[in-house]
Amino acid sequence: MAQIKSSIGNKELAWLFGNCFPNTLDTTVDFEIVHGRPDTYVITGDIKAMWLRDSSAQVWPYLPLMKNDSSLQQLIAGVINRQTRCILKDPYANAFYKDPYQFSPWASDRTEMKRGIHERKWEVDSLCCPIRLAHGYWKATGDTAPFDASWRKAIALILQTFREQQRKTGPGPYRFERHTEVATDTLPGYGYGNPVKPVGLICSMFRPSDDATIFPFLVPSNFFAVVSLRQAAEMLEQIHHDAESAAGCRALADEVERALREYAIINHPKLGWVYAYEVDGYGNSYCMDDANVPDLLSLPYLGAAKPEDPVYLNTRRFVLSDGNPYYFKGKAVEGLGGPHAGMDMIWPLGIMMRALTSTDDREIRFCLDTLQRTHAGTGFMHEAFNKDDPKKFTRAWFAWANTLFGELILKTFREQPRLLD
């Protein structure tokens, strides 16, 4: 960090990097050895719970640093071990407590809540992110210690859950209702969501923002599932020599991929063929994008699309235009938002992902400049800020955004260091 900071010509960006990149390690991890194995509990920041998605994303940028830091490797192995236990506890839950007996303030939700679960919103990406982290860890280290019989069982449970949520023979075991005035915090249809036609895609009842989907086939998450299932198959085959389970993962990945080609691409009246954000298999679609990852913008970052894919490029043009109802332009800046924080609220995650998926130096510099001008003097990234006044922001302590900013600076430093001058 000291070497990179001293090499960055823009001293404010260097200062931001020094604050943000270690934020997860400095403030959100609880590491210990449990039954002889590393165990790492990772909170999101100002919410004292561990999201499967967030915890994976928070430590992802540290993977390249493990080769020179055995303690860091142990810590990330502990995250994988903890996530395995969480998935085995309930594959439909999105967030967990360290204390397996803790009661949640959402205990009255009409779903199968258990002690130790903070929230039980079914999101496809909650099961993809731990696979991505596990695969990245394995590729970086060659270490197979975290991938024991329990991990193998968790992968089998993920495959089972994805198949259940294809809803070929009925709605499946998951339902969710919450007594709330916030429409995006509950599901219609007696807790099963809006109907879908079983075409091979996987239902995600909530988005990465934890907001309810309108059409349950959430396209970015299905793309992510294709990548994750193939990564799981590779690990099952090479680590466990389990050809049968690997074939099951690959077969589902192929089925979802075929369904995406048939149902997720629509003809936009101005831009031509684009990826919809959500579909239902009946021919209905919702065109938008949300800054929370996985989103359409992030598909190349996740390995789910090539940056030069013509449909992705058309989709990208749509996402970053006023055709997207959640792309906001204000007096101060412009950027991608989403329903979760409301209208006119731009998410730094969206600005970072725009830069991370860009091949245009001018666009990357524009994003870096935007991030530099919108931290409101705090030295950290936030969940969202107002398009006209960045001092009006949500979540002063949001570790995922901080770590992703660090990842962006590292990538830029390696590939286009002149953009940091």
Side-chain angles (χ1 to χ4, degrees), residues 10 12-13 16 367-376 381 405:
N10 184 319
E12 186 171 6
L13 284 178
L16 287 168
C367 293
L368 290 169
D369 178 66
T370 301
L371 293 166
Q372 182 177 335
R373 292 189 292 114
T374 55
H375 62 88
M381 299 294 111
F405 175 80

Side-chain angles (χ1 to χ4, degrees), residues 344-362:
D344 300 330
M345 297 295 286
I346 295 170
W347 288 61
L349 285 179
I351 300 167
M352 296 169 206
M353 194 52 62
R354 179 178 182 177
L356 285 164
T357 56
S358 178
T359 57
D360 183 334
D361 285 0
R362 290 173 300 176

Side-chain angles (χ1 to χ4, degrees), residues 92 164-165 167 169-175 192:
Y92 283 104
E164 288 172 350
Q165 288 306 311
R167 299 193 175 184
T169 59
Y174 177 81
R175 62 187 299 268
Y192 291 105

Side-chain angles (χ1 to χ4, degrees), residues 128-388:
C128 296
C129 288
I131 295 175
R132 180 177 187 250
L133 178 64
H135 186 265
Y137 173 91
W138 174 56
K139 287 294 187 180
T141 65
D143 179 29
T144 61
F147 312 119
D148 59 1
S150 293
W151 180 86
R152 186 178 177 185
K153 185 177 178 182
I155 296 298
L157 189 55
I158 289 172
L159 183 60
Q160 173 188 316
T161 305
F162 282 169
R163 285 173 171 162
E164 288 172 350
Q165 288 306 311
Q166 288 182 296
R167 299 193 175 184
K168 292 182 177 180
T169 59
Y174 177 81
R175 62 187 299 268
F176 181 98
E177 290 179 290
R178 177 176 291 174
H179 184 71
T180 177
E181 295 178 353
V182 181
T184 53
D185 262 348
T186 190
L187 295 176
Y190 300 99
Y192 291 105
N194 288 316
V196 295
K197 185 177 181 180
V199 296
L201 296 172
I202 305 167
C203 288
S204 187
M205 305 321 297
F206 291 88
R207 301 169 180 163
S209 61
D210 301 331
D211 294 335
T213 50
I214 294 175
F215 298 129
F217 292 144
L218 181 58
V219 171
S221 292
N222 273 264
F223 269 108
F224 196 8
V226 171
V227 175
S228 299
L229 285 164
R230 288 173 178 160
Q231 291 174 337
E234 181 187 2
M235 296 179 73
L236 287 167
E237 210 164 49
Q238 295 196 25
I239 298 172
H240 290 283
H241 310 291
D242 185 350
E244 182 179 355
S245 296
C249 289
R250 288 196 178 101
L252 181 55
D254 291 347
E255 181 183 7
V256 174
E257 187 175 55
R258 287 192 299 270
L260 284 166
R261 285 198 296 265
E262 185 170 354
Y263 295 97
I265 302 173
I266 65 162
N267 194 0
H268 189 276
K270 293 183 179 180
L271 295 170
W273 299 110
V274 300
Y275 294 119
Y277 186 69
E278 294 172 358
V279 297
D280 65 359
Y282 289 104
N284 299 303
S285 60
Y286 186 20
C287 278
M288 59 160 279
D289 204 16
D290 185 310
N292 286 269
V293 180
D295 59 353
L296 295 172
L297 190 62
S298 68
L299 293 180
Y301 172 80
L302 297 171
K306 294 181 179 179
E308 67 273 15
D309 169 24
V311 179
Y312 171 74
L313 289 175
N314 284 346
T315 305
R316 183 184 182 90
R317 283 190 281 270
F318 164 75
V319 167
L320 301 175
S321 75
D322 58 9
N324 175 11
Y326 293 102
Y327 189 78
F328 305 122
K329 295 184 179 181
K331 297 175 183 177
V333 291
E334 62 181 77
L336 184 60
H340 190 72
M343 298 300 292
D344 300 330
M345 297 295 286
I346 295 170
W347 288 61
L349 285 179
I351 300 167
M352 296 169 206
M353 194 52 62
R354 179 178 182 177
L356 285 164
T357 56
S358 178
T359 57
D360 183 334
D361 285 0
R362 290 173 300 176
E363 184 175 33
I364 297 169
R365 190 184 289 276
F366 169 80
C367 293
L368 290 169
D369 178 66
T370 301
L371 293 166
Q372 182 177 335
R373 292 189 292 114
T374 55
H375 62 88
T378 66
F380 292 95
M381 299 294 111
H382 305 125
E383 179 190 54
F385 58 83
N386 184 272
K387 67 177 186 178
D388 296 319

Side-chain angles (χ1 to χ4, degrees), residues 380-402:
F380 292 95
M381 299 294 111
H382 305 125
E383 179 190 54
F385 58 83
N386 184 272
K387 67 177 186 178
D388 296 319
D389 184 2
K391 292 181 180 178
K392 297 177 180 177
F393 60 81
T394 60
R395 298 191 68 180
W397 181 18
F398 185 38
W400 178 11
N402 288 323

Side-chain angles (χ1 to χ4, degrees), residues 32-49:
E32 59 184 329
I33 300 296
V34 177
H35 304 306
R37 292 169 64 84
D39 176 80
T40 310
Y41 182 75
V42 186
I43 63 172
T44 67
D46 53 11
I47 303 175
K48 303 298 191 289

